[in-house]
Amino acid sequence: MRLRRGSGDGDSGCQSCPMAGSAAVHRPGLSIEGCDYVVALAGNPNTGKSTVFNALTGLRQHVGNWPGKTVVRAEGAFRIDGKKFRIVDLPGAYSLLSNSSDEEVARDFILFGRPDVTVVVVDATTMERNLNLALQVLEITDRAVVAVNLMDEAERKGIRVDTRALGRDLGAPVVPMAARSGLGLPELRAAILGVASGTIQCRIHPAPDLGAEVEASLARLTEAVLAEYPGLPNARWVALRLLEGDPSVVREARNGTLGDGLHGHVVDEPAAAPTGAS
Amino acid sequence: MSASEAEQTVLLSSLPRGGAGRIVRLLMGGPERRRLLDLGFVPGTIVVSGFVSPLGDPTAYHVRGSMTSLRRSQADQIEVEPCSGADGGAPSGGPKDAA
Amino acid sequence: MSGSADHLLSLAEAERARLRTPLHDQLVERLYEEAGRIAARALDRSGEARRFQFDLLLDRILTSRILGLPAMAALFGGAFWLTIAGANIPSALLTSLLVDHGAALLHRAADAVHAPAWLQGLGIDGVYLAVAWVVSVMLPPMAIFFPIFTLLEDFGYLPRVAFNLDRTFRWAGAHGKQSLTMMMGYGCNAAGVVAARIIDSPRERLIAILTNNFSICNGRWPTLILISTIFVGASAPPAAASLAAALTVVTVAVLGIVVTLLVSAFLSRTLLRGTPSVFSLELPPYRPPRVWQTIYTSVIDRTLIVLWRAVQMAAPAGAVIWLISNVEVAHRSLAHWMALGLDPIGALIGLNGIILLAYVVAIPANEIVIPTILMLTLNAARSKLAQKGVMLELDDTATRHVLIHYGGWTLLTGVNLMLFSLLHNPCSTTIMTIWRETRSRKWTWLATLLPLALGFGVCFLTATAARTFGWAPR
């Protein structure tokens, strides 16, 4: 029954733990009644993700200078221009490829929970490692905002970030932030609203080319996946995981639960979003 | 891909304090390998040996702008090619251009 | 459905067999290449070196071979000293306010509305007093300890502690971060168990959860200080009394660390052998801590939530303690009969039935163990000093008098009570927390029973040894 295992049949585990603060925890697709958009907050551990979460929601979840504070997902709500947003603070993840249980929670939500906007918080001081995750997210969704946090710290360290160049390369809105002091928050809110309402368009970042041999295998497998699960978003991504032998995706394929989050959420959602399903 | 120019490689654990090396390959497998790849210990990356715990293990390494510590048993399974501090001294260390 | 899923999986396997290079590595390498290219275009690192040197210098000092461990000892020694010294006054104040005056005031108010005596007893002497007790003992040290700890966390120092101590924990098959969950445990074991989330490797996280109880929580420090003062201190020469008492407390705490490491080593080599384990420990950059915000969030998140849970647990315990002291069967209170029943087991391990009963009824909170023991001891002796079911606190001399003359305690009883205080089941709040964190009946039971079994074993050994060598009466 643990939330962090499997794709979405978990019960909320931690409502009363001291660190979860006042934010409740729910499974994907459960708590969208009464809100217009769902926002997922992703990022490497210790990038100030929870600080961004607190800044957006006005909640005061405990934040530490310490990787791995938010292990379960915390949820909150906020409004922009009268639109009601529900935001899910996902556990920190270095990658969507790995198999740690925390990363699975993050990955399953982004992939199958299909949030309207995914905000990827990246640490301006360790940009490369953070971009590794951002690229993976941008590969599976075209509705993302990249928040470059800790700009103040980067400046103190003597690192200058050209967020415009970054935006061009990533194909998604990039917002420079110093969430601890609230800098960049209005811009982030505007970007979230823009992406959610469709006034800002991102482009899916092309997945890295793995060479002719792999790509050919992948194409055959993607076709098979789509035959099995018609309309599955990110079929290439799923095919790549299967090709890799990713245990959790293999397990889900075996149980026939691949993309179950889909039924909980996207189906109920007003068809406002012409999402770029691969 | 395969490092045939292996004459020069040493283990990461044998880098002197402050020494830099370019990762040639990871010798471990399984979840450990995946985690290290996620943390940026990717072939081609420059790693700088930082400082050692007062008890002798683990050791902190600079890799791609962040500092991660590895136990000796892990550093023993990473092959690097020592390189001069000139471009390895910086805390970042981009991969060699490829593709 | 599953038939075609099998088809999909076998297709994937066939395709995988065709590939010549490990796919995952290739994928990650491509991703990092691209991340590196993008970062190179977007970043200007020309000014970076200086600041980097500063962080490095700080780290060289805080993790240095010579200064690293002393600096750590000084920082945490200071933190614990501040907690103990700073909590004394507010604790005394709260006790006088809530326990002494509060209860009297409530009794007067209840008398005014002619509330029946049993209701007053149950509500005020039972429930209210237990809660008041827990709050006044628990709140001040936590409100000091957690913010200090959180400030160190915010600054970025705590991962360095894990880094400094990892080797010791590696020996035990554990993670250096366990040193930090242990320190949280000195504040509150429930908080320590939750803190184990910072350990991302499953095996090491479980070890940290299962052994957190061997960190003496702040509900147990007062018991140790009191007993060491009135038994060990009092049997030392007067000039060395407080030193002997302090050394005794430190010894018990160190014993706790030793037990933690031994049990961790045992678990990692037996029950948890083969559980996946990957070490990684990031050392984040130092950040100037935000003092006020940190104090606010740590008081709200850690202190008050932990306190609230303890209060929820203490309230029913207070009711139970009052009831078993006041419900009489065959002219004796239930508590008396229960203590009599537990006496043989208690005697076997150098304790007595009342102590065991106190640990049974005070499972929700260690804070009320001593007040309950005092009350039960006096009631059993039919002394007029204590009302039935009303927990009480006495000064050191009176406590010593009551325990030795009414309770028949010896030095062995005192020593074994301290050992048992270290080695017994976690409080119910912690047990609940372990259940929430592990979602496993097996691990929750193990975490509960293992320390208890250790406590019985160790106390039995000391009692047997003491009696064999004639240090204690048979």
Side-chain angles (χ1 to χ4, degrees):
Chain A
M1 283 302 267
R2 193 73 217 246
L3 196 153
R4 56 216 352 260
R5 290 165 67 197
S7 70
D9 59 344
D11 200 23
S12 58
C14 266
Q15 268 132 349
S16 44
C17 70
M19 270 76 176
S22 40
V25 178
H26 294 286
R27 64 182 221 182
L30 249 195
S31 49
I32 54 160
E33 310 90 45
C35 75
D36 299 301
Y37 300 110
V38 175
V39 179
L41 198 57
N44 278 21
N46 205 34
T47 51
K49 218 160 43 63
S50 298
T51 316
V52 172
F53 178 84
N54 289 348
L56 280 170
T57 56
L59 290 173
R60 300 197 188 231
Q61 209 193 4
H62 174 73
V63 177
N65 181 10
W66 183 252
K69 254 291 110 79
T70 319
V71 173
V72 286
R73 296 189 338 241
E75 290 197 18
F78 61 95
R79 280 173 186 279
I80 307 174
D81 281 2
K83 296 281 184 207
K84 202 160 172 248
F85 288 77
R86 182 151 277 280
I87 183 164
V88 180
D89 187 11
L90 299 171
Y94 291 108
S95 157
L96 300 181
L97 305 173
S98 204
N99 290 310
S100 98
S101 46
D102 309 346
E103 291 179 353
E104 252 176 55
V105 173
R107 172 178 97 183
D108 288 343
F109 191 82
I110 297 171
L111 200 64
F112 303 124
R114 296 254 299 203
D116 299 294
V117 184
T118 303
V119 176
V120 189
V121 182
V122 304
D123 177 348
T125 64
T126 55
M127 191 67 102
E128 284 172 64
R129 201 184 59 201
N130 282 265
L131 284 179
N132 177 42
L133 176 75
L135 286 171
Q136 292 180 42
V137 171
L138 293 169
E139 196 186 301
I140 57 178
T141 175
D142 64 348
R143 321 192 85 209
V145 175
V146 177
V148 182
N149 194 24
L150 303 171
M151 288 293 283
D152 46 347
E153 206 168 288
E155 199 170 313
R156 268 206 307 278
K157 274 181 129 185
I159 302 171
R160 288 170 49 190
V161 185
D162 180 352
T163 44
R164 206 169 282 184
L166 205 57
R168 261 198 315 274
D169 277 338
L170 293 174
V174 172
V175 182
M177 292 191 78
R180 267 163 60 123
S181 45
L183 242 67
L185 195 61
E187 292 82 356
L188 178 66
R189 291 162 62 90
I192 290 174
L193 182 64
V195 171
S197 61
T199 54
I200 299 179
Q201 294 281 342
C202 325
R203 59 177 146 84
I204 285 251
H205 199 85
D209 189 333
L210 296 168
E213 180 201 47
V214 178
E215 290 297 333
S217 281
L218 215 44
R220 288 190 288 271
L221 208 50
T222 307
E223 204 172 306
V225 168
L226 278 174
E228 179 73 12
Y229 300 95
L232 184 77
N234 300 301
R236 180 189 185 273
W237 191 92
V238 171
L240 188 53
R241 297 285 82 73
L242 287 174
L243 190 55
E244 250 195 283
D246 182 321
S248 74
V249 175
V250 166
R251 192 177 56 229
E252 275 168 37
R254 191 166 285 137
N255 300 339
T257 54
L258 251 185
D260 262 7
L262 213 67
H263 309 301
H265 179 178
V266 171
V267 173
D268 301 338
E269 196 70 351
T275 334
S278 65
Chain B
M1 188 86 229
S2 66
S4 52
E5 69 281 13
E7 338 89 52
Q8 282 224 330
T9 63
V10 297
L11 296 176
L12 181 59
S13 53
S14 66
L15 276 188
R17 198 188 246 220
R22 195 183 292 275
I23 296 177
V24 176
R25 78 183 125 195
L26 308 181
L27 304 174
M28 77 288 275
E32 181 121 56
R33 182 191 189 89
R34 280 169 174 255
R35 175 42 57 97
L36 288 180
L37 287 170
D38 287 342
L39 290 171
F41 290 86
V42 176
T45 304
I46 288 171
V47 181
V48 183
S49 172
F51 42 87
V52 184
S53 158
L55 299 177
D57 193 31
T59 300
Y61 295 96
H62 297 284
V63 70
R64 293 181 182 270
S66 61
M67 192 145 53
T68 302
S69 58
L70 298 182
R71 286 178 177 169
R72 176 168 277 275
S73 57
Q74 295 171 301
D76 273 344
Q77 297 193 60
I78 299 177
E79 275 187 7
V80 298
E81 180 186 17
C83 54
S84 67
D87 106 296
S92 66
K96 278 187 284 198
D97 268 17
Chain C
M1 191 81 170
S2 78
S4 43
D6 281 347
H7 160 72
L8 198 59
L9 290 174
S10 56
L11 183 65
E13 217 147 294
E15 294 287 356
R16 195 179 318 143
R18 289 189 196 195
L19 302 176
R20 278 165 310 182
T21 49
L23 185 58
H24 185 82
D25 288 28
Q26 206 185 339
L27 191 61
V28 177
E29 276 175 45
R30 289 292 103 75
L31 277 166
Y32 262 113
E33 267 168 26
E34 186 163 8
R37 264 200 307 274
I38 295 176
R41 275 202 290 270
L43 297 186
D44 173 7
R45 293 174 171 277
S46 52
E48 187 174 0
R50 226 183 40 239
R51 164 74 192 187
F52 171 66
Q53 290 303 330
F54 174 76
D55 263 30
L56 202 60
L57 183 72
L58 202 52
D59 265 332
R60 286 257 156 89
I61 295 167
L62 291 177
T63 66
S64 93
R65 188 162 283 243
I66 299 155
L67 289 175
L69 297 179
M72 202 175 77
L75 267 170
F76 285 111
F80 285 123
W81 181 81
L82 266 177
T83 305
I84 294 165
N88 266 338
I89 297 164
S91 254
L93 205 73
L94 279 175
T95 306
S96 125
L97 197 73
L98 295 177
V99 177
D100 303 340
H101 297 297
L105 200 72
L106 282 174
H107 271 300
R108 241 176 291 149
D111 282 340
V113 297
H114 304 292
W118 69 267
L119 189 63
Q120 285 196 32
L122 188 64
I124 301 170
D125 298 334
V127 174
Y128 172 78
L129 261 189
V131 170
W133 216 286
V134 168
V135 169
S136 45
V137 177
M138 202 168 170
L139 181 60
M142 289 214 309
I144 299 173
F145 179 76
F146 284 144
I148 295 178
F149 202 78
T150 313
L151 279 176
L152 288 173
E153 173 181 4
D154 205 32
F155 176 53
Y157 179 62
L158 296 189
R160 271 74 182 177
V161 174
F163 177 75
N164 286 348
L165 295 176
D166 181 66
R167 189 169 189 173
T168 313
F169 286 89
R170 188 194 67 185
W171 170 82
H175 194 295
K177 286 180 186 172
Q178 191 175 327
S179 56
L180 302 165
T181 65
M182 283 170 68
M183 276 184 235
M184 284 292 278
Y186 290 132
C188 167
N189 293 130
V193 167
V194 174
R197 291 178 182 181
I198 59 177
I199 302 173
D200 57 7
S201 177
R203 185 183 76 179
E204 283 80 353
R205 180 188 293 175
L206 208 44
I207 289 177
I209 289 174
L210 297 179
T211 58
N212 194 268
N213 185 46
F214 301 123
S215 293
I216 298 157
C217 68
N218 81 42
R220 292 184 270 170
W221 289 109
T223 306
L224 292 180
I225 293 168
L226 177 75
I227 299 298
S228 66
T229 306
I230 64 178
F231 282 94
V232 182
S235 52
S242 57
L243 184 68
L247 280 179
T248 308
V249 175
V250 172
T251 307
V252 177
V254 170
L255 189 67
I257 297 173
V258 172
V259 172
T260 301
L261 289 171
L262 289 178
V263 172
S264 299
F266 168 77
L267 289 171
S268 65
R269 284 163 178 77
T270 53
L271 294 174
L272 292 172
R273 214 168 135 175
T275 309
S277 149
V278 177
F279 178 81
S280 71
L281 173 59
E282 245 200 286
L283 302 176
Y286 291 103
R287 286 173 190 156
R290 294 150 302 164
V291 178
W292 292 114
Q293 196 174 341
T294 299
I295 288 172
Y296 177 87
T297 51
S298 65
V299 167
I300 297 296
D301 281 0
R302 287 178 172 164
T303 312
L304 288 187
I305 288 173
V306 167
L307 187 73
W308 170 235
R309 264 204 250 167
V311 164
Q312 283 175 307
M313 292 289 182
V320 167
I321 291 169
W322 188 87
L323 281 173
I324 61 168
S325 309
N326 284 277
V327 174
E328 297 211 341
V329 179
H331 307 295
R332 290 276 191 180
S333 68
L334 266 181
H336 195 95
W337 290 116
M338 290 161 92
L340 281 179
L342 289 168
D343 241 353
I345 310 171
L348 195 65
I349 58 171
L351 300 173
N352 62 39
I354 286 177
I355 297 175
L356 291 186
L357 178 60
Y359 270 100
V360 172
V361 293
I363 188 183
N366 282 287
E367 284 83 352
I368 55 176
V369 165
I370 289 290
T372 307
I373 288 176
L374 281 178
M375 182 268 287
L376 291 175
T377 303
L378 286 169
N379 283 351
R382 305 199 174 239
S383 160
K384 293 279 179 292
L385 266 171
Q387 296 171 43
K388 286 186 174 178
V390 186
M391 287 179 274
L392 80 167
E393 192 173 48
L394 301 168
D395 64 34
D396 289 359
T397 328
T399 305
R400 183 179 156 82
H401 182 79
V402 166
L403 293 179
I404 292 177
H405 292 281
Y406 292 88
W409 287 34
T410 61
L411 180 60
L412 172 70
T413 323
V415 168
N416 273 10
L417 177 63
M418 286 192 278
L419 289 171
F420 198 72
S421 173
L422 170 67
L423 303 169
H424 71 279
N425 53 281
C427 70
S428 48
T429 313
T430 305
I431 297 175
M432 285 302 295
T433 309
I434 294 172
W435 161 248
R436 284 201 190 95
E437 293 296 307
T438 61
R439 290 280 147 186
S440 149
R441 212 163 282 175
K442 175 182 160 193
W443 297 124
T444 310
W445 275 110
L446 184 77
T448 307
L449 296 180
L450 182 78
L452 197 61
L454 274 175
F456 272 95
V458 168
C459 288
F460 175 73
L461 286 180
T462 54
T464 310
R467 285 165 185 156
T468 310
F469 295 111
W471 298 330
R474 275 160 203 276

